[in-house]
Structure formats: structure tokens, C-alpha cells
Amino acid sequence: MRPPRRHRWLPAFWLALAFGGWIALVRLEIADLQDAFETDARIAHRLLSQRAVQHDAILATLALLQPPDSPEAGAQRLPALYPQILSVQRRDAGAAWPDAALAAAEAQSRALRRAVLADADFAAGRYRLVRAAQPASFAAQFDLRKLVPWPEWPMDPQRSPVAVRLEQGGQRFTLQPGGDAGGPWSFDFRKHLETDSQPFDVVLQRSVGWAELPWQRMVLWGLLVALLAAAVHWLLRQRAERARAEELLRLGQVARLDALGELAAGMAHELNQPLAAVLASAQAARRLLDEEPADVDTARTAMRQAEEQARRAASVLARLRRGVERPSAAAPLQPVVLQDAVRNALYLLEPEFSKRAVAPQFEAGAEALAVQAEPVALEQIIHNLLTNALQALDQVPPNERQLSVRLQSQAGQGELTVGDSGPGIAPELLPRIFEPFFTTRENGLGLGLSLCETLAANMGGHIGVQARSPRGAAFTLRLPLAA
């Protein structure tokens, strides 16, 4: 099992997903604002064009009806009916216009047979149209400020951020001031009025500021993505914890089987000697009985039976020992990277380190250190050494707990050293630390280190222990380097 990487990619995942959503929300908002701007622009252009066409119609009506030139005439009542008309002038046949602009416009109107712009003073907010006719021609002056039909206007002239103006010949007249939001987005609209007599451009402009972005939806999206990232993190963590528990369970099962094998092997070793003594005694008794005159035949038979039973017991123990031999002892060796094995063991014991407030220090070179080993047996050894170190650290205050794992190569062997700052091992006990059933712990079986030594020996390695200064112990596992 390879320890999973920390979920360092989750912040990047959250940032990428949130940033993508924010871009989409901003683009949608900008598109909506642009659609609304273009709709308002088309409506404004249509309303202003209708007014301009209305002006042409008014002058055409005057030219056609030829109202009498008197104060009560219909032409003089037009400003009351149309507020944008400031005044109406009339030139009868033989009379002259008060200025040359009107005269020139009349001549052009006569040629074009439509109303013609005489002049436009955007600074004063006025312009004049002339319509040539017989027997009298008419001129009307219009107020640009009253050109807009505000009841039908699609925007609030005081609050709308859209600026609206008329442009003609370098002049500009502002109908609606709008505002500069100072943002990086802007929309523009420009189109001529739908009449040739009033060649004005209708210009609309709008800028979109940062404050107009959908911040509330963006914050909600960020929170939603954060919740999603948290859920993914929780699921990955649950999966990692489950995998860690399964690995520990497997390692524990293997360790128990190996401990059982070590126990059986120890029992066989311990019982073989007394059984051999019984066998020798029985053989001696048989020889002595052979020299006595008493019931020699019966004694001989009994001793023979005892001898047979002893041999049978020895045979049973031998079979038991063969039956409980560790399968891993015959497992093929293969190159195993010590760094990976140590990291895996540290990962599996991470909850134990956290519970004891121990921060293990792992020292290893930059290059992979591969040894010839059986992977499961190597995991068992490292796991046992780390567990023993943690149990030793339980006996010292938390602020004095130190645990280190150091890897190095020396003389064709890979060395793994696990050191702790626990109470250490008494010098007189060091030679016995790997004996079966020898333990310094109150409830220990004394088989863990013995098992480690056996496993190391089966892999062609060796395990040793030494005291640390000023306190603690260091176990060193040496295994042949992989070719």
C-alpha cells in the first residue's frame, strides 16, 4: 500500500471551479446588460426619429394649408400644441427672410421638395427647419431640450447610467447625462435619425462598473463550490481511513500468524530437550533393569513402551514445528525501496503519532535506497520497531518525546535506524532483547523483536540495538542492497 498524497490539489480544484463559475456569471451579467442597453437604444432612436418625422409633417401641413398670417393664425398656435416648437416664421411672396441661412435653406428645400435644416445651435439647444412652398414658405425653430417624449422614454433620465446625446457637424447636445461607472466594460450605439431633414446622430454610451457585477451570486457560487470541495475532501479522507484500517488489519493478521508460528517454534524448541532427556533416561533404565533379576521382561516392555511414546511425542512436536513454519520464510526476495516502506508504515501509524503528540523525523537521501527483501516481512519489522518506539515514548513526558527514522547505505547494505527518546534499555538486558519470550514490558509476550530478528535473518539481514545518549534506544535493520 502506498500512502496517498495529501489533498493539496483540493484548493486548486476549488479555485479553478469557482473562477470558472465567476467568469461565466460575469459574462452572463454583461450579456444581459448589453441586451438591455441595445433594447433601450433602439427605443430611444425610434422615439427621436418619430419626433423628427413629426416636424417634417408639421411644416408640410403648414405649406399645404397656407394659414393666414395673423396672431390668431394656426401657425402661431403650434408652440402651444407642440412644446418643442419655439416659433414659426412665414415668408410671403416678395418678402425676404430675416437672415441668409433661412433664404439658403428655402432655396435648397425648393430643390429637394422637402424640409431642410437651416442651422443648428447645439450650444443654445436650438435648430431651424425651412419648408419652401407657394405662395408662402415657413420656417420653424425647435427646442432640443424638449425633443424627447419623456413619458415614453425607456430610461430614467436622472438615474440611468446610459448617456444619450445628439451629434451633428461636430456639435453635441446631451439629452441624458448618464454616468461613468469606471469599469472595464462599455457599450456604444450610434445611428442617424430616420429623416433627411434633420441629419442628427443619436449616440448612446454606457459603461459597466465593478459594483454592477453579480457579487451576491458569485459569493453564493464560491460557497457552493467550497461545500463541494469539502464533501470531496471528506469522501477521500473516509476512503483513505478505510484503506488504512484494512491495511492495519492485514498487517495485524500476518503478525499474529507469525507470532503463532514463533510461539509454536519456541515451544517445540523448549520441549524437545526434556523429551530427549526422558528418552535418554528411559534407555538407561532399560539397561539397568536388564541387569536386575526381578521382573525383567515386564520392566523391559514398559521401558520400551516409554521409549516409543517419547519418540512419538518428539515426532509430533517435530511435525508441529514443520506445520507452523512461516510461509513468508520461503517467499522470494525482491528489490524494495526503503523510503516507500518507511513512508507506508508512518502513514499507517499516523493516528498513533497524533494521539501521542509525536512528530516523527524521517531522514533519507535524495536517491531511492532499494534492498533485497520480502515486502510484507519488511513492513512487519518496520511496523514493530515503530510500535515499540511509541510504547517506549509513553513512559516519558509529551514534550520529551522524539522519534526518528534514518536511512543510509553502508558496506553494501541498506540501514534503517529507528531511534526514540524513551527510558531506554538497561545495559545488562541488551544481549537478551531478541530472545523469545523475553520482554521488558509488563504485559508483553516477548515475541515481537524475536520475530523481527527471524524475519531479518530469513532475508539475509540482521537487526541490532544500541543505547542512545542521553536516553533512549536505537534499533538498526541491515539488509543487502538490491543489485
Side-chain angles (χ1 to χ4, degrees), residues 74-270:
Q76 302 306 321
R77 293 197 300 269
L78 285 176
L81 297 176
Y82 302 99
Q84 71 272 26
I85 299 179
L86 295 175
S87 63
V88 175
Q89 292 177 282
R90 173 186 179 125
R91 188 195 67 79
D92 291 319
W97 290 105
D99 56 69
L102 293 176
E106 182 188 8
Q108 188 177 5
S109 173
R110 195 177 304 282
L112 297 175
R113 297 182 181 276
R114 61 171 174 80
V116 171
L117 179 67
D119 54 20
D121 186 356
F122 279 15
R126 298 175 181 180
Y127 71 95
R128 293 185 298 178
L129 289 180
V130 174
R131 172 72 186 203
Q134 292 293 339
S137 298
F138 296 88
Q141 181 174 238
F142 298 92
D143 187 350
L144 286 170
R145 295 183 184 86
K146 298 179 181 178
L147 195 62
V148 180
W150 295 113
E152 304 172 41
W153 196 246
M155 297 165 280
D156 184 339
Q158 303 301 325
R159 299 180 180 179
S160 175
V162 180
V164 184
R165 63 177 181 268
L166 293 175
E167 293 185 1
Q168 191 269 334
Q171 298 186 91
R172 292 183 175 183
F173 184 79
T174 301
L175 298 175
Q176 180 173 290
D180 184 9
W185 303 276
S186 62
F187 312 134
D188 295 282
F189 178 89
R190 176 185 291 270
K191 192 173 183 180
H192 282 289
L193 289 178
E194 298 295 339
T195 176
D196 295 331
S197 63
Q198 297 150 79
F200 304 149
D201 286 339
V202 179
V203 179
L204 286 84
Q205 290 180 328
R206 188 205 197 287
S207 64
V208 179
W210 295 103
E212 296 182 72
L213 298 182
W215 293 109
Q216 185 174 2
R217 281 179 287 166
M218 292 169 68
V219 170
L220 290 176
W221 172 253
L223 293 175
L224 180 63
V225 174
L227 290 176
L228 177 62
V232 171
H233 175 70
W234 182 82
L235 290 175
L236 293 176
R237 185 171 180 177
Q238 288 295 108
R239 190 174 67 176
E241 291 297 331
R242 185 168 57 253
R244 188 208 309 268
E246 292 174 352
E247 183 68 12
L248 284 174
L249 178 61
R250 183 189 68 81
L251 200 57
Q253 289 173 342
V254 174
R256 283 194 294 273
L257 288 175
D258 279 344
L260 178 60
E262 195 72 12
L263 176 63
M267 290 178 63
H269 175 73
E270 296 294 331

Side-chain angles (χ1 to χ4, degrees), residues 196-474:
D196 295 331
S197 63
Q198 297 150 79
F200 304 149
D201 286 339
V202 179
V203 179
L204 286 84
Q205 290 180 328
R206 188 205 197 287
S207 64
V208 179
W210 295 103
E212 296 182 72
L213 298 182
W215 293 109
Q216 185 174 2
R217 281 179 287 166
M218 292 169 68
V219 170
L220 290 176
W221 172 253
L223 293 175
L224 180 63
V225 174
L227 290 176
L228 177 62
V232 171
H233 175 70
W234 182 82
L235 290 175
L236 293 176
R237 185 171 180 177
Q238 288 295 108
R239 190 174 67 176
E241 291 297 331
R242 185 168 57 253
R244 188 208 309 268
E246 292 174 352
E247 183 68 12
L248 284 174
L249 178 61
R250 183 189 68 81
L251 200 57
Q253 289 173 342
V254 174
R256 283 194 294 273
L257 288 175
D258 279 344
L260 178 60
E262 195 72 12
L263 176 63
M267 290 178 63
H269 175 73
E270 296 294 331
L271 291 177
N272 261 335
Q273 291 182 354
L275 287 176
V278 169
L279 177 60
S281 298
Q283 290 172 336
R286 182 173 58 82
R287 287 194 299 270
L288 291 174
L289 287 176
D290 286 343
E291 297 174 355
E292 293 292 333
D295 192 357
V296 177
D297 293 338
T298 303
R300 184 182 298 112
T301 301
M303 289 297 98
R304 187 178 297 110
Q305 290 177 348
E307 180 183 354
E308 291 175 355
Q309 290 299 320
R311 289 182 183 277
R312 184 178 179 185
S315 176
V316 169
L317 290 175
R319 287 200 305 274
L320 175 62
R321 183 172 184 173
R322 289 194 299 272
V324 298
E325 283 182 349
R326 290 177 296 279
S328 60
L333 303 182
Q334 62 186 58
V336 180
V337 177
L338 273 179
Q339 283 92 334
D340 292 344
V342 172
R343 289 193 183 96
N344 189 27
L346 292 175
Y347 169 71
L348 291 176
L349 290 172
E350 190 177 68
E352 299 299 325
F353 289 125
S354 299
K355 185 168 63 178
R356 293 173 171 83
V358 175
Q361 299 177 351
F362 183 30
E363 303 176 17
E367 296 184 359
L369 185 60
V371 296
Q372 200 69 13
E374 198 281 309
V376 177
L378 180 59
E379 285 183 5
Q380 284 184 262
I381 295 175
I382 299 174
H383 187 272
N384 280 337
L385 295 181
L386 291 175
T387 302
N388 286 344
L390 285 174
Q391 291 171 348
L393 293 178
D394 287 341
Q395 304 175 46
V396 299
N399 58 347
E400 299 180 6
R401 295 172 181 174
Q402 295 179 358
L403 190 150
S404 64
V405 181
R406 183 165 55 89
L407 301 182
Q408 63 179 357
S409 62
Q410 187 171 2
Q413 290 188 317
E415 289 187 358
L416 183 153
T417 302
V418 179
D420 65 75
S421 60
I425 304 172
E428 65 274 15
L429 300 181
L430 285 176
R432 302 186 58 197
I433 201 67
F434 293 107
E435 289 183 6
F437 307 111
F438 178 81
T439 179
T440 58
R441 294 199 304 271
E442 183 177 354
N443 298 321
L445 291 176
L447 292 173
L449 290 175
S450 174
L451 174 62
C452 290
E453 186 183 40
T454 304
L455 293 174
N458 290 338
M459 293 186 291
H462 173 72
I463 188 170
V465 61
Q466 58 184 355
R468 295 184 70 192
S469 177
R471 189 181 64 198

